Amino acid sequence: MSQTLSSTDVVAELRRRGVGDVDDSTLARALYSTDASLYRVPPRVVVRPRHRDELLATLDASRATGVPLTMRGAGTSIAGNAVGPGIVVDTSRHLNRVLAIDAEAGTAVVEPGTVHATLQRAALAQGLRFGPDPSTHPRCTIGGMIGNNACGSRALGYGRTADNVVGLDVAFGTGEVWTGGGPSAAGDALAAITDASLGHVRTEFGRFTRQVSGYSYEHLLPENGRRLERFLAGSEGTLGVVLGATVRLVPDEPVRQMLVLGYPSMVEAADAVPAILAAARTPGGPDSHGSPSGSPLVACEGLDARIVDLVRGRGSSVPDLPRGGGWLFVELTDPGLVGPVLAAAEPLEHRLVTDARESAALWRIREDGAGLAARSLERQALSGWEDAAVPPERLGAWLRDFDELLEGHELQGVPYGHFGDGCVHVRIDFDFTDRDSDPDAGRRRFREFLTACAHKLREHGGSLSGEHGDGRARSELLSVMYDEESLRLFGAAKSACDPDDLLNPGVLVDPDPFDAHLRPARPRHEPRTVLRLLHDEGSLGTAVHRCTGVGKCVAPHTATSGVMCPSWQATRDEKDSTRGRARVLQEALDGELVQGLGDPAVAEALDLCLACKGCASDCPTGVDMASYKAEALHQRHDGEGATERRPRSHLTLGRLPMWARLAAPLAPVVNRSLRLRPLARLAKATGGIDQRRSIPDFAPRTLRRGATTARLRDTGPDEAPDVWVWADSFTDHFLPGSGHAAIEVLEAAGLRVRVIDETACCGLTWITTGQLTKARAIAARTAATLAAYVATGTPVVGLEPSCLATLRSDLVELSDDPRAQQVAEGVLTFAELATRLDLPLPDLAGVQVVAQPHCHQHAVLGWDADQALLERAGATVTRVAGCCGLAGNFGMEKGHYDVSVAVAETHLLPAVRSQPDAVVLADGMSCRVQLDDLAGVPTMHLAELWASRLGR
């Protein structure tokens, strides 16, 4: 029946049953066509159930129509077990509550879409924690963790998800609803299957803790209590739909010590693991099935030096690490074990990390391992064979054999992972580069390598999966890992629980070929781009495929200094995430759903992108959606086969520097005119500006007219300044006060300062609106103008962070003139200049500062120098995370106001309200306009704060 039903029919069946949030649009199908794996399987319909009854109704519609159903979780599956051809169900949007916490019993009741971090916050308030913590804990859902039997870094101490599930509410594929603890027809059938093969189950299943491939029959043994809820954990949504769960909470250990051990390579690090485990083993350690029982060895994680090198290469600071090409991060709750572990480990060097901030920074690098490893080799490194596990005593031998397999297939891999559990994560540079000439060649190489790995792994008694599940990536290879009797038992479980094969078909039982549906093997359309896309060899297709789907952009609470992804923070809609936009762009270039960059789905996905560039620094794989949006807008409006005329806001806000220069001679008159309500309304309507927005005043006197200026060609040796000030368009025409303040501070230090008296626009507003042909011409002129000043060796300082960030990053993307690189490297922020010149600091003792770093400064320039100066001067600094929400033209444009305000409410406005007496520091014009519009608070540039304290 399912083959004869259209998507419209399926939607009708769902809505007939009261399911409201149903979407079969091209956009939704593109967003959910893939997860964090290599697999692309577009769904027919996406459902986001609002309550339990809708989830049951969705299953009922699936059974009635024969259309298969796949549960998605957070979409971070690396094995392809969260994509499916029928109904894909996303519970994270609505079914995401912690329903109850019983601190005395040590349990929590949650809905399936509850994010791990949400549960953890609620538990920590009671002095408890949920033990397993995958690297995706800020966004993964408990339902998804149950589906995969996720483990995470601290499974040594707290066990796997299966070990922490107390009860489940499940709807089986048969339609039976089971509430944990009650009778179950499916459970009785599974018990009978187990009892008929007791000897086989006892010898083949549960051999070591990370043997999670296939179905975990050991939990159904009578001596293990016939724990049906534990058996279902790790079944990857192929047997039932999780409606809710009761999970175990354990006391949060008040003291943890992190010991970092350095080794020549990851192989030597692996060799040390058995001795470390033995040294830390206590009578209270984890049992053979990984049940949480308070082991003092909480974690033993491996990390390859190449991942750390990538972090350093991106300009991020990394705490000191001991000498080595690979490290083990060992976490202990018993300080008395540090000595014995260190003696057994025999590292090259070691370091006991006692600073909590340094420890957190190192764990963040480990958590970002999947994304970072993807960019650590010359070719993009991919998942596919990324989760194999062996008994820990076999880990070193397995890694040696695995290295030989890589070398024999002319591949490279970057290993990391849960070495204490024998589980190795790795990203491999599979070669799909001939996808356009021979789409099957990459698939053949992929198949040959994975098959060889599976056979070699069997020799080590290993498991294809240690926590990610088998999914589409490994299910076909279960026939290599297991014998015929085990495979028969898997089929029997499927027949008992889901006889019609409706739940996640193609996974575990009757699997799809693991080289089918491979996204990297698909031919790509490569438009001729204006941006050079230097980090991706000029390929927009390669650029958008940087996104591997790890989903850091959909974490409900960003880190204290993160920005990505402000639109998702405001809407919680997948289309408004960096990941969602990347998926749509991928479909536009190599899919079948989205018909090129001119497709309306692309416009809808990119509409609420603020072009903040937060993803360029916060995304582990370095996605730069601001650049991709600019190129997509160019292709839509000006490229070959352009499909649409530009909106008015592109012609007004997108050319703001030009209008500002024209208005400058009449600025007072223009300002007075725009204060007249009828004229203001007309101006906003004409310019595509939301009527609720104010129009910023033009400066009555520009910086270049009000300060001492000079041109290099007219400056003799005796007149050469000590510092050149670049008058960007925003500082010059709107906020010259920051320029005057910078001059005042520099002159007070005895420096000769001149403002460059030449027009040198960065072209930012043209870039953000996709007017790249014009932006390229502007960039060429600006590079030629400013390079001459930079070449003198005299410092050149810029005041507006967004313009300065454009010089530092976008200039070289628009121009191959060597002078563009010279300018990018030569222009400084005010804080960088003050640090370089070691200027005397103002006295800011007792000053409370709430600082909103501009998004572009966070992403491109960095704000560490600013923070260091403020703190050295004595200020108490609260650094606001996230974006202000205005983001240049974005927040001004009609249709964006509500989201702009919602973004501001995520971090900025609450921070300002919480400290009403603080100095609000905002260097960027966008941030200052937003605060003026929404909070009515005065703001200062760093230079203005500094100048205000001169002489005190």
Side-chain angles (χ1 to χ4, degrees):
M1 181 178 177
S2 66
Q3 299 301 316
T4 61
L5 286 176
S6 67
S7 294
T8 303
D9 295 328
V10 178
V11 170
E13 287 291 332
L14 288 161
R15 289 187 172 148
R16 189 175 298 124
R17 289 166 171 78
V19 182
D21 195 347
V22 182
D23 195 344
D24 66 339
S25 67
T26 296
L27 175 62
R29 296 177 66 209
L31 292 170
Y32 289 84
S33 63
T34 188
D35 45 20
S37 72
L38 301 184
Y39 297 92
R40 173 191 175 273
V41 183
R44 294 169 71 174
V45 176
V46 175
V47 172
R48 291 173 283 252
R50 293 168 296 189
H51 46 75
R52 174 188 171 116
D53 290 345
E54 286 196 2
L55 189 50
L56 287 168
T58 302
L59 176 59
D60 185 63
S62 169
R63 297 182 67 238
T65 60
V67 175
L69 182 152
T70 298
M71 299 297 291
R72 180 173 169 86
T76 54
S77 162
I78 302 178
N81 35 20
V83 292
I87 303 169
V88 168
V89 180
D90 179 357
T91 59
S92 66
R93 186 71 184 273
H94 304 296
L95 294 175
N96 53 21
R97 297 174 298 165
V98 177
L99 299 177
I101 287 184
D102 186 332
E104 185 175 345
T107 59
V109 181
V110 298
E111 293 178 317
T114 301
V115 171
H116 177 285
T118 302
L119 171 60
Q120 204 70 298
R121 280 192 299 275
L124 287 172
Q126 307 270 359
L128 302 170
R129 63 167 288 143
F130 181 55
D133 58 348
S135 61
T136 54
H137 63 88
R139 61 267 192 197
C140 70
T141 66
I142 302 300
M145 290 180 66
I146 292 169
N148 286 1
N149 193 11
C151 303
S153 300
R154 296 180 173 86
L156 277 174
Y158 300 116
R160 307 158 297 183
T161 297
D163 307 312
N164 290 275
V165 174
V166 176
L168 287 180
D169 292 349
V170 176
F172 292 104
T174 58
E176 176 194 2
V177 176
W178 175 64
T179 300
S184 165
D188 291 344
L190 290 167
I193 294 167
T194 304
D195 288 347
S197 301
L198 284 175
H200 185 82
V201 171
R202 285 172 175 144
T203 56
E204 295 299 319
F205 294 92
R207 292 179 290 107
F208 65 104
T209 58
R210 289 300 183 102
Q211 183 190 346
V212 305
S213 279
Y215 296 132
S216 298
Y217 265 94
E218 69 273 16
H219 295 301
L220 297 178
L221 288 168
E223 60 266 32
N224 290 336
R226 298 199 191 279
R227 300 293 297 273
L228 178 57
E229 72 280 2
R230 291 190 176 187
F231 170 80
L232 292 172
S235 60
E236 303 183 38
T238 61
L239 303 179
V241 173
V242 175
L243 306 172
T246 302
V247 297
R248 183 195 321 277
L249 303 177
V250 296
D252 185 45
E253 297 290 345
V255 177
R256 290 198 188 96
Q257 293 207 308
M258 184 179 190
L259 185 62
V260 182
L261 309 171
Y263 296 91
S265 73
M266 296 303 287
V267 170
E268 283 84 358
D271 287 338
V273 166
I276 292 172
L277 295 178
R281 190 171 291 128
T282 68
D287 66 25
S288 60
H289 298 292
S291 295
S293 48
S295 169
L297 176 60
V298 176
C300 181
E301 296 291 291
L303 189 69
D304 192 286
R306 286 170 289 184
I307 293 176
V308 175
D309 289 343
L310 186 67
V311 175
R312 290 192 178 111
R314 291 169 62 169
S316 300
S317 61
V318 175
D320 290 338
L321 289 167
R323 178 167 54 96
W327 297 280
L328 292 178
F329 291 0
V330 177
E331 190 171 84
L332 299 160
T333 57
D334 180 359
L337 283 176
V338 171
V341 166
L342 190 56
E346 298 183 344
L348 291 174
E349 291 181 359
H350 74 279
R351 183 185 173 209
L352 185 63
V353 182
T354 56
D355 186 285
R357 289 176 298 181
E358 288 192 319
S359 176
L362 290 171
W363 281 116
R364 276 196 299 273
I365 294 171
R366 167 58 191 89
E367 289 172 0
D368 286 343
L372 293 169
R375 309 306 304 181
S376 58
L377 301 172
E378 284 190 23
R379 249 190 336 254
Q380 183 177 15
L382 305 169
S383 60
W385 182 272
E386 84 300 320
D387 192 41
V390 295
E393 63 270 16
R394 301 290 305 169
L395 184 59
W398 161 242
L399 275 185
R400 286 179 174 84
D401 283 347
F402 183 62
D403 280 347
E404 288 184 9
L405 286 167
L406 287 169
E407 186 176 353
H409 288 79
E410 299 181 339
L411 296 170
Q412 295 185 70
V414 182
Y416 61 99
H418 315 300
F419 276 33
D421 289 300
C423 182
V424 180
H425 298 329
V426 62
R427 292 295 168 119
I428 301 169
D429 63 341
F430 294 113
D431 185 5
F432 293 100
T433 54
D434 46 6
R435 64 178 66 85
D436 294 313
S437 58
D438 185 0
D440 293 327
R443 291 191 183 96
R444 286 195 300 270
R445 292 188 291 266
F446 185 75
R447 172 168 285 278
E448 290 168 3
F449 179 73
L450 263 64
T451 302
C453 286
H455 283 281
K456 181 59 68 173
L457 182 70
R458 179 168 180 157
E459 296 177 15
H460 291 273
S463 177
L464 297 167
S465 173
E467 65 173 340
H468 293 166
D470 298 307
R472 298 177 181 276
R474 291 174 282 275
S475 291
E476 184 190 356
L477 293 169
L478 288 171
S479 60
V480 176
M481 176 180 168
Y482 287 108
D483 60 16
E484 288 295 329
E485 175 62 10
S486 298
L487 296 177
R488 185 192 68 77
L489 289 173
F490 296 161
K494 182 73 167 175
S495 295
C497 299
D498 182 33
D500 297 323
D501 195 23
L502 290 174
L503 300 181
N504 214 5
V507 173
L508 293 181
V509 176
D510 192 19
D512 284 352
F514 64 77
D515 57 352
H517 313 297
L518 284 172
R519 182 166 33 89
R522 298 177 63 81
R524 294 176 186 168
H525 168 64
E526 292 287 359
R528 184 185 304 170
T529 63
V530 175
L531 294 177
R532 299 172 67 202
L533 300 171
L534 295 170
H535 299 293
D536 297 288
E537 300 178 337
S539 166
L540 184 60
T542 300
V544 300
H545 276 279
R546 278 178 171 266
C547 178
T548 59
V550 295
K552 191 175 181 180
C553 52
V554 293
H557 294 268
T558 63
T560 55
S561 60
V563 169
M564 179 183 70
C565 176
S567 55
W568 186 88
Q569 294 286 336
T571 70
R572 303 298 172 92
D573 195 322
E574 181 73 17
K575 75 176 177 63
D576 300 322
S577 68
T578 306
R579 177 179 70 178
R581 295 180 181 110
R583 293 311 189 210
V584 174
L585 290 172
Q586 289 167 6
E587 279 293 317
L589 296 178
D590 57 45
E592 297 164 352
L593 293 174
V594 179
Q595 303 302 306
L597 295 173
D599 193 291
V602 174
E604 188 173 352
L606 293 177
D607 180 48
L608 295 183
C609 172
L610 284 77
C612 68
K613 280 191 175 289
C615 50
S617 62
D618 294 353
C619 173
T621 61
V623 169
D624 182 1
M625 193 54 63
S627 293
Y628 310 160
K629 177 179 181 179
E631 187 63 55
L633 288 172
H634 168 78
Q635 298 292 334
R636 170 181 287 273
H637 299 298
D638 300 325
E640 297 174 4
T643 60
E644 215 174 88
R645 294 180 61 184
R646 288 191 173 277
R648 281 175 294 179
S649 62
H650 286 196
L651 306 179
T652 52
L653 298 172
R655 300 176 183 179
L656 183 59
M658 179 186 73
W659 301 119
R661 285 195 300 274
L662 294 174
L666 300 171
V669 176
V670 174
N671 292 336
R672 285 196 297 271
S673 299
L674 291 177
R675 291 190 190 105
L676 299 173
R677 186 169 297 177
L679 284 179
R681 291 184 63 84
L682 178 62
K684 293 174 187 178
T686 303
I689 299 172
D690 192 284
Q691 290 294 337
R692 290 166 287 187
R693 280 291 176 197
S694 66
I695 298 178
D697 281 347
F698 295 101
R701 190 174 178 85
T702 67
L703 176 63
R704 285 190 289 163
R705 288 178 60 199
T708 304
T709 61
R711 296 187 177 219
L712 185 63
R713 62 175 176 268
D714 300 328
T715 304
D718 296 334
E719 300 170 317
D722 299 305
V723 176
W724 287 106
V725 174
W726 168 51
D728 63 84
S729 297
F730 297 127
T731 304
D732 196 22
H733 293 284
F734 294 95
L735 297 170
S738 57
H740 288 296
I743 294 168
E744 185 180 356
V745 171
L746 294 169
E747 289 182 341
L751 299 170
R752 183 185 178 93
V753 184
R754 293 290 181 267
V755 175
I756 297 172
D757 191 21
E758 294 186 65
T759 299
C761 179
C762 67
L764 173 62
T765 59
W766 282 271
I767 295 169
T768 57
T769 52
Q771 299 178 77
L772 296 183
T773 303
K774 179 64 174 177
R776 182 167 56 188
I778 293 171
R781 290 197 301 269
T782 296
T785 298
L786 293 182
Y789 292 86
V790 171
T792 65
T794 300
V796 179
V797 65
L799 281 306
E800 167 57 46
S802 63
C803 294
L804 187 50
T806 302
L807 292 188
R808 202 168 284 185
S809 63
D810 296 303
L811 203 64
V812 293
E813 288 288 348
L814 288 164
S815 174
D816 60 1
D817 187 332
R819 292 175 294 184
Q821 186 65 45
Q822 188 179 10
V823 172
E825 296 172 354
V827 183
L828 305 172
T829 68
F830 180 76
E832 289 170 341
L833 177 69
T835 303
R836 176 183 294 187
L837 299 179
D838 195 20
L839 297 181
L841 296 174
D843 182 5
L844 297 179
V847 177
Q848 300 284 329
V849 173
V850 172
Q852 171 69 64
H854 192 286
C855 295
H856 290 193
Q857 181 165 6
H858 163 83
V860 178
L861 308 171
W863 200 74
D864 289 348
D866 301 66
Q867 184 161 354
L869 285 175
L870 289 165
E871 291 176 346
R872 281 172 51 208
T876 301
V877 182
T878 299
R879 180 176 179 175
V880 181
C883 177
C884 75
L886 189 72
N889 59 288
F890 173 84
M892 302 293 291
E893 289 173 340
K894 185 178 180 180
H896 293 165
Y897 180 83
D898 292 333
V899 170
S900 176
V901 173
V903 171
E905 287 288 359
T906 58
H907 296 285
L908 176 58
L909 295 181
V912 171
R913 293 189 199 108
S914 68
Q915 298 189 53
D917 297 325
V919 172
V920 179
L921 201 66
D923 287 2
M925 177 176 168
S926 288
C927 309
R928 301 179 78 167
V929 170
Q930 182 80 316
L931 283 162
D932 186 50
D933 265 9
L934 303 183
V937 297
T939 56
M940 302 182 82
H941 189 283
L942 175 62
E944 292 176 313
L945 174 60
W946 197 316
S948 72
R949 295 281 165 160
L950 290 176
R952 293 195 183 188

